[in-house]
Amino acid sequence: MAAVETRQKRLLAVIALPMALLALSAVYPVFFTINAALKTRKGFVLDRFGLATDATFANFGQAWNQSRLSEYFTNSVVVTIGAVLALLLISSFAGYALAILRFRGSKIVFAIILVSLMIPVQVVLVPFYRTMIALDLINSRAGLVIAYTAFFLPFSVYLMTAFYARLPRELFEAAQIDGAGLVQIWWHIMLPMGKPALLTLGILNTLYCWNDVLISLLVLQDKRTLMVGIAALRGEYTTNVPLLAAGIVLAAAPIVLIYIVFQRQIVSGIAVGAVKG
Amino acid sequence: MTERQPSAARRRFLGDNPERLGWLFVVPALALVIIFRIVPLIWGFGTSFTDYNGMVAPRFIGLANYASLTHDPVFMDSIVNMLILLATLPIWIGLPLVLAILIHQGVPGGKLFRAVYFFPAVLSSVIVGAIFNMLLRYDGSFNAMLKGIGLSPVDWLGNSSTALFSLIAVQLWATFGMSLLIFLAGLSTVPSDMLEAAKLDGAKLMATWWYIVIPSIRPIIEFAAVVTTIGMLTSMFGLIYVLTAGGPGTSTTLPEFLIWLEQGRMNRPGYASAISMVLFAMMAGLAFIQIRIMSRNASL
Amino acid sequence: MTLTRRALCAGTMLAAAFAVSVGVASADTTLTVWDWKSGDPTTQPYFDAVKKDFEAAHPGVTVKYVMQPHDQYYTLLGTAISAGQGPDVVLLHGGSQTKERTGALVKLDDNIADIKGRIAGWPEFTGADGDAYAVPISIQGFAVYYNKDLWQKAGLDPNKTPKNWADLEAVCAALKKAGTTCFALGNKEGFGADFFLSAVAANGWTAAQQEAWTKGDLKWSSPEVKAIVDAWVATKGAGWYAEGANSTAKFMDEYESFERGENANTIGLISDVAHWMEFDDFLGADKVGVYVMPPVAGGDGSLKLPLAGGIGYGVTNFSPNKDLAIALAKSFADTPHMQVFFESAGAIPADTKVDTSKVESPSAKQILAWLADGVPLAHNNMSTAETEEWHRQSQLLFTGETTVDKALARMDEVQAQAKKK
């Protein structure tokens, strides 16, 4: 038995090698981006892969000013936080209702959510824009929060439903026998139990909202978000890669920082939620 | 528990009736989805029967758009490309699943890998595209490496036979971190004593995976399969735009890219809507089949 | 009594408030301009000058630039147009992108009489009805830039540019012998094939043929067009280009390889980017030469630069302030503004009154001298559907997956379909 265990350990160690290579390939773009951001455009054209020898920080300054990042930063933060919170709350409600409560018609509701997951964004652009105008949501951050919530909701509801459906039903039934109300069960059982899925959704939705360009372009035309500012750094013909790289480093830095700082909480959060069964 | 009981009246309103509370809890989600997605879908469905060009009032032309789709070679090629793309789905699921299980089972360095695999997903497709553009071009580093080990260089993105697969590989590389994260969340619900018990029984690693781990996260796998399929069909635009622009010829033109082309540059929203409807129907059909196949054991 | 007074009072105040708000609204007009350029540092001084002068001349009016990412520009514009709400003034590419959107633009004819003579490039912004729909601000054209050092190394006289196709073939043969790639070529998006078509057609087709081409009457399978497509394949066969054209982006991979000195010639632009100003910067002004692409066949021996209106400003027909918007569109083409545009961005302006005498770059001087007498830019006058299909076919011709005859048959088909509409 011990032999089996050591053999497994050895096997895992061997597997770790290709995994480390893959990890290296995943880190490379980060290195490349930072390195490119430190070059001048001319320096980059002449030598694309070499180390930036005369490191310049001018690109960061230019990206900051040209894409008016300071102005757009707040918009991105406010909208992302608002939308992610709304998404988590609404999808945890809906997941609970669809997977646990299972009212009459829940299958149809789930089907509608599924269908909406499959609608290509391009086809809804024009009617979506008209709806936003009709509801007077254009050019407001609240409008963008609503738009993001609506666009990323099907995915979130689907994940929460799949996750809650996985939980043993006895948990719910035991709580009911204990006399807990259905709202209490949501608050005391479903939310804590859903933590791994909610954390995952939190990460993914933060990324979606933070990185979105198209929806933001349509909804916020006066105030813009960070990624729109970055996207505009690409000209019609030229992509000034060092400038763009600097912009991307600036825009991705907050996300990466949050991820690194909260890495432990996220990890333990996912572990705590594990079902002790 | 008893001391937290709300008043009987409030409980009657909210708490007791699963029917009523169920509806109450899905209303926000349902309303948003219907207003911002379903209604536009129906609008798009209507547009697909017109010659709408965005300026003049649309004229009803029946099935003419759909009829011209059938002899549009570009559209036909895009569907073929889509089918090829879909055939690679097992890799899109299998790779992150295997990696997630390995990390879950404590591969050395697992925590680091989990953090790092996610990096490409954080960077936008523009940067990923710019990097692979330089790696994969004819005089790029990848070919230099091939030459170094005595192989002949290949124009990865400029050849109809390799362009689509190169594109798929880059997109897979850029997004597997997302699926990995979803699988890890799912794995956290696998009872650890079940795994311990299997280990004590001396079960082989593979057997443990096949008989315990994978069945226990089946809903998550099903979820990932559906979401990945949808992602494959609707979120490759950024990479196509930067890496191949749909070419050479039509070899990397996917329906999604064609919709963008028809809607924007060609200014034919009516025709673009028809393509969208076909794409939507195919996605819905696929998801239906996937769910049918995979949820045989799941409870939903 | 008190009640009446109070009511009156309230009424007056309400009316006053109303009047104030209406007054503010009418004095406080914002004109929204959509473009894909205003954030670019090289064009910044131009956009700033237009905004400053226009706001000074029209008190209470604010000019707001909204720069859209280029890849989504026409998608967004299409969305705004079909919703009937959005920008007042829009930047447009000349040719089919303007012509296929005239339904959403204001006819400018009555308003541009005063600038019509001074500005060049109108045909690209004129609709099928013969009316102008946008004010051109730049002139676009294709010139062949070459690296004099590389020519010299290959034993060529850097001051003796090719006058006909045979000369050009000799140049490429000499360069090939010296181990230098003759032409930089990027055809990932199909732009390389566009440029080749326009540059080679420019002096090979007669004016009548160019006109027939614009109307869709000159078929792809006709000998004039076939000769060019044949040349597209033959030049590849003769080794004019480096391997991998299909995976090289014209902007800017192709031009960057030229700037690195990896190849000796490139078909470049005269405005925006990939022009004299940029090449001078990398290679040195005295090392950059420029010539007009000779035709593969036909022509009268003269070599004229293929030219067309580049980009221009139109006014949307849903703008609530059309007159102001038209004035703004015209202001972009004011001579002092055009002067700034030329000097800061190196764009050849649409305004013929701009003072270009201070330019020192030899290639720029040469280009300016050619401006007076240009020929049409053939690819600009194709329908969008044809352009897209030509992009695809040109790539397949390079991979060998299609033959010239098959490609031309397909192009004929697309051309006929586009004409029917």
Side-chain angles (χ1 to χ4, degrees), chain C residues 43-121:
Chain C
T43 49
Q44 195 83 56
Y46 167 63
F47 287 99
D48 288 348
V50 173
K51 179 178 161 70
K52 197 174 127 248
D53 293 349
F54 192 81
E55 286 173 357
H58 301 83
V61 176
T62 310
V63 174
K64 194 178 78 193
Y65 296 121
V66 177
M67 178 174 164
Q68 309 283 17
H70 186 253
D71 54 343
Q72 297 296 353
Y73 187 77
Y74 287 107
T75 306
L76 292 168
L77 185 58
T79 311
I81 288 173
S82 51
Q85 183 173 328
D88 302 282
V89 179
V90 290
L91 187 60
L92 294 159
H93 291 93
S96 47
Q97 293 299 5
T98 299
K99 291 177 184 186
E100 289 170 14
R101 287 182 177 79
T102 51
L105 300 170
V106 174
K107 245 181 229 186
L108 297 177
D109 266 15
D110 303 336
N111 302 288
I112 50 168
D114 52 330
I115 58 168
K116 198 136 197 189
R118 177 169 59 84
I119 305 286

Side-chain angles (χ1 to χ4, degrees), chain C residues 196-214:
Chain C
F196 184 85
L197 173 75
S198 281
V200 176
N203 292 290
W205 295 356
T206 63
Q209 281 166 341
Q210 289 276 9
E211 200 173 319
W213 176 254
T214 306

Side-chain angles (χ1 to χ4, degrees), chain B residues 81 240-241 243-254 257, chain C residues 188 395:
Chain B
N81 292 334
I240 298 175
Y241 184 83
L243 275 186
T244 62
T250 52
S251 59
T252 55
T253 301
L254 290 169
F257 188 76
Chain C
K188 183 192 271 187
Q395 292 166 344

Side-chain angles (χ1 to χ4, degrees), chain C residues 81-338:
Chain C
I81 288 173
S82 51
Q85 183 173 328
D88 302 282
V89 179
V90 290
L91 187 60
L92 294 159
H93 291 93
S96 47
Q97 293 299 5
T98 299
K99 291 177 184 186
E100 289 170 14
R101 287 182 177 79
T102 51
L105 300 170
V106 174
K107 245 181 229 186
L108 297 177
D109 266 15
D110 303 336
N111 302 288
I112 50 168
D114 52 330
I115 58 168
K116 198 136 197 189
R118 177 169 59 84
I119 305 286
W122 293 103
E124 276 66 37
F125 299 96
T126 300
D129 54 2
D131 291 317
Y133 285 88
V135 181
I137 60 164
S138 77
I139 297 294
Q140 196 53 279
F142 295 154
V144 186
Y145 296 91
Y146 64 102
N147 183 327
K148 289 186 178 173
D149 273 351
L150 291 177
W151 277 45
Q152 216 145 19
K153 271 187 208 142
L156 292 163
D157 178 358
N159 297 317
K160 197 168 159 280
T161 56
K163 298 290 172 249
N164 53 48
W165 196 253
D167 284 357
L168 187 61
E169 282 177 323
V171 165
C172 282
L175 283 163
K176 196 183 173 194
K177 221 167 158 191
T180 306
T181 304
C182 189
F183 269 88
L185 182 66
N187 200 36
K188 183 192 271 187
E189 298 88 349
F191 295 152
D194 281 348
F195 282 38
F196 184 85
L197 173 75
S198 281
V200 176
N203 292 290
W205 295 356
T206 63
Q209 281 166 341
Q210 289 276 9
E211 200 173 319
W213 176 254
T214 306
K215 286 194 185 129
D217 291 335
L218 183 66
K219 282 170 74 171
W220 280 78
S221 54
S222 62
E224 296 79 12
V225 190
K226 184 172 186 294
I228 297 172
V229 179
D230 276 331
W232 172 250
V233 178
T235 52
K236 180 187 190 281
W240 282 26
Y241 319 111
E243 279 296 320
N246 277 348
S247 59
T248 306
K250 187 160 189 80
F251 303 101
M252 290 294 290
D253 288 350
E254 174 188 325
Y255 295 118
E256 286 175 356
S257 72
F258 179 73
E259 286 161 359
R260 281 193 293 270
E262 287 168 11
N263 35 52
N265 301 274
T266 187
I267 306 179
L269 298 173
I270 63 172
S271 285
D272 292 305
V273 287
H275 57 356
W276 52 276
M277 207 181 224
E278 199 174 312
F279 298 144
D280 285 1
D281 181 35
F282 273 89
L283 301 172
D286 54 329
K287 302 293 184 200
V288 179
V290 62
Y291 60 90
V292 173
M293 189 80 160
V296 65
D300 55 6
S302 68
L303 291 178
K304 292 175 182 169
L305 196 67
L307 288 176
I311 51 177
Y313 278 100
V315 173
T316 55
N317 59 10
F318 47 81
S319 163
N321 302 296
K322 291 196 186 65
D323 291 339
L324 269 175
I326 291 169
L328 177 61
K330 284 166 73 179
S331 164
F332 279 105
D334 280 352
T335 305
H337 297 149
M338 291 270 87

